[in-house]
Each structure stands twice: as structure tokens, then as C-alpha cells.
Amino acid sequence: MAFKQMFDEFITKAALHTVMERFPQDYKRASDEGKIKELRKATEFTIVEVNQMLDAREKGYKLKDVLAQLPGDRINGMVRALGKKTFEMTTDGQVVKVTRDGAMFLPDISLTCLNSNRNKASKLQIASIVVECVILILELIGVDIPDDEEEVKKAIQIALDALDKSKTLINDVDKIQKDYENGDYPAMAKDIFVLVVDSFHEGVFWDITKALLSDMPWYDWIITSAQIAAFIAMLVATEGVAEIAELVAELADAAFFLEKLANLANLKEMEMKTKWDCQCCDLLRFNLIRQKLPIFFKSTKS
């Protein structure tokens, strides 16, 4: 057996094992109904597609041309993903408004120093970036994501919970933002894939994906999960991010996704200013108390 064939077989087995481990009930049902062969075929098909993407450069083709020959409208799907508005975040004075299609998506967030959640807006924006990076990869694989508000809310909450447990995804988004600010879109696009792989390793990728596709019938879901597992495994095993990242960088150039990164920078700046204002307020309150209780301060001084 040639090495390439052995490698692809290894990826297939790894993908199927991931599905079996992550979704044991669905996998068992597929096995009981004799559907494992179809799972394997879906996995092998995805591996072939990824190989086509990775070989595009060597054959002198642009990845965009290769994707155009694959089933489904991958390019427009990726464009939609980069422009996907999980929600829109705007600031009005010391209030952050979170809207979707012009209507309130989540309650307003106050950034005043009396608010104990001054970093809540930043985390919420980071969560939206995490979810949208996952959506981008799913669209690249050919998984169409329904634009359902309730599913988006579930996915955002899952991302928020993950941010509270680990700093990995926060650091990944920081890296994306820094490369964006430096105008290095290819590096930024690679960072997106790093974030997705990290979310995959931490388990939150599957939770977000399941939330976004919660209405998908079980059989379609188990097939889709096998394709996703194979795609991620191929990217990790081949370090094949560069070719795909180049296309993502090209598509991201005029995307709403970039506005979120700029917005995150503004929120961080506002958060720092708010903390500074709060320190000033604390000092002012301290001085006022000191003026009202001179006897106490004199006694402690002596």
C-alpha cells in the first residue's frame, strides 16, 4: 500500500473514531442501521476534497478555481460566513448595544464604573468571533449554516462559557486582532484556523457546531460530523493551512468580520479608560470620606 493511501486511511479511521467518541449514541445508531460504510464514504470524500485544495498550488491553479469545481457554492458560502452577523455591537456613550437585524439581540451592557462586568462586552465580541470562525470553516467544508437567531444565541453562550474556563481562545482572538491591525491578512487568516483547531481540541468546536445545526436530522448530522472530523484532521496532519488561509485573507479584505476586530480594539480601549475612570472615582470617594471623618484619619496617622 502506497504511503499516501496509508495516510488517507489513517485520517479516515481517526475521523470515524472522533465521531464514535464524541457522539456515541448517534454512532451506535448508525452502526445498528448498517450506515458505517456511508460514514466512511463521506469521510473519504472529504479527504479527497482537501487533497485537491492542498494540491492546487503545485498544479498551478488558484484555490478559488478548485473550490468552484467542488459540489456546493463554497466561495459564496465563505463570503457569507465572513459577513455573518451573529450580532452587531455598537457603543452609545457608556452603553453597549447588541443588536441583530436592527432589533435587540441581547440586553444593553453598561460600561460605567458602577458595573461589575466591565469586560463583558469584550468577551461577548470575542465569543461572536469564535462562533463566526467556526461558521467559516463549516462553510468551507460545504456545511450550510441556517441563520437562526435562537441557534446563534446558544452558540454564543457556549463560546462565552468556554472563554470563562480557558484563556486559549481569548489569546487566539488577540493574535487575530494584532495581525489585522498590522495589515497582515494572510497571518490573520492562519490565526483563524489555529483558533478553530484549538476549539476542536478543547471540545467547544463540537458544542458550537451542534448548537448551530440543532435542527439537522440525526443521520445528516452523523454524516456531517464525520466530514468535519476528517477535514480538521487533514489540516492538522498536513499543516495545510497556508493555501486555504491565502484565499480566506483575500475574501476577508472587505468583510464584516474585520469590523468586529476593529470593534474589539475599540472596546478594549474603552475598557481601559473605564478602569482608569473608576480608579479616579475611587480616589475621589476616598478623599470625600477622609474629609467627613477627619478625627479617624488623624488618629490612625498618629
Side-chain angles (χ1 to χ4, degrees):
M1 185 182 291
F3 173 77
K4 185 66 177 67
Q5 189 176 352
M6 290 175 63
F7 176 78
D8 289 351
E9 177 63 19
F10 171 78
I11 296 296
T12 297
K13 289 181 177 179
L16 292 176
H17 180 76
T18 297
V19 174
M20 178 180 65
E21 197 173 58
R22 186 71 194 181
F23 310 108
Q25 292 182 346
D26 289 335
Y27 188 89
K28 183 178 183 306
R29 183 174 176 182
S31 178
D32 292 342
E33 296 186 14
K35 304 290 187 181
I36 298 300
K37 285 186 178 180
E38 294 179 40
L39 281 184
R40 171 177 281 273
K41 284 182 181 178
T43 303
E44 291 171 347
F45 184 74
T46 298
I47 291 172
V48 169
E49 286 194 346
V50 177
N51 281 328
Q52 286 180 293
M53 294 179 193
L54 301 181
D55 292 342
R57 268 295 207 212
E58 294 180 14
K59 295 177 181 177
Y61 294 112
K62 288 284 187 181
L63 181 56
K64 187 181 290 187
D65 297 329
V66 175
L67 288 173
Q69 298 173 22
L70 299 178
D73 194 352
R74 305 294 175 87
I75 297 295
N76 283 334
M78 293 169 69
V79 171
R80 285 194 302 272
L82 285 166
K84 183 79 74 173
K85 297 186 180 183
T86 48
F87 57 75
E88 188 171 2
M89 187 176 282
T90 56
T91 55
D92 182 9
Q94 288 292 309
V95 175
V96 171
K97 294 186 177 297
V98 186
T99 60
R100 180 179 167 88
D101 298 328
M104 187 180 75
F105 180 70
L106 292 171
D108 294 349
I109 304 170
S110 173
L111 294 180
T112 63
C113 56
L114 297 177
N115 193 322
S116 61
N117 296 320
R118 290 191 297 266
N119 69 342
K120 183 177 180 180
S122 292
K123 274 196 173 181
L124 191 57
Q125 189 73 95
I126 291 171
S128 77
I129 290 171
V130 170
V131 171
E132 287 169 18
C133 286
V134 170
I135 291 174
L136 173 65
I137 298 301
L138 295 176
E139 290 284 359
L140 174 57
I141 298 170
V143 181
D144 186 36
I145 305 299
D147 194 15
D148 183 276
E149 182 170 319
E150 290 307 312
E151 291 179 349
V152 168
K153 280 185 178 179
K154 290 176 186 176
I156 292 293
Q157 188 57 56
I158 290 167
L160 281 171
D161 292 342
L163 297 179
D164 287 337
K165 296 174 185 176
S166 171
K167 297 293 184 185
T168 300
L169 298 181
I170 293 176
N171 293 336
D172 288 342
V173 173
D174 282 344
K175 185 67 169 61
I176 294 172
Q177 185 193 353
K178 285 175 184 175
D179 284 330
Y180 157 71
E181 289 175 348
N182 292 331
D184 192 347
Y185 287 2
M188 183 196 78
K190 290 180 184 178
D191 297 336
I192 290 174
F193 285 94
V194 170
L195 182 150
V196 170
V197 171
D198 283 344
S199 72
F200 189 87
H201 288 318
E202 297 200 0
V204 67
F205 175 92
W206 288 115
D207 293 336
I208 290 173
T209 303
K210 188 73 171 174
L212 293 170
L213 300 174
S214 59
D215 288 336
M216 182 177 279
W218 81 270
Y219 179 66
D220 291 340
W221 164 250
I222 200 70
I223 290 287
T224 299
S225 64
Q227 293 174 313
I228 293 169
F231 186 90
I232 300 293
M234 279 291 285
L235 283 188
V236 173
T238 63
E239 298 183 351
V241 169
E243 300 300 327
I244 300 173
E246 186 177 329
L247 173 62
V248 173
E250 181 182 338
L251 297 177
D253 196 2
F256 177 75
F257 185 79
L258 300 186
E259 294 179 26
K260 295 210 163 194
L261 296 174
N263 196 36
L264 185 57
N266 292 336
L267 286 168
K268 286 183 178 179
E269 191 174 316
M270 288 182 66
E271 185 182 347
M272 292 302 296
K273 182 180 183 303
T274 303
K275 287 181 179 178
W276 171 256
D277 290 344
C278 288
Q279 289 173 356
C280 292
C281 288
D282 290 340
L283 182 59
L284 178 61
R285 280 194 292 270
F286 175 79
N287 287 333
L288 287 172
I289 293 172
R290 184 171 182 172
Q291 290 173 16
K292 291 181 179 180
L293 300 173
I295 297 175
F296 172 78
F297 282 100
K298 283 180 182 179
S299 63
T300 55
K301 189 174 182 180
S302 58

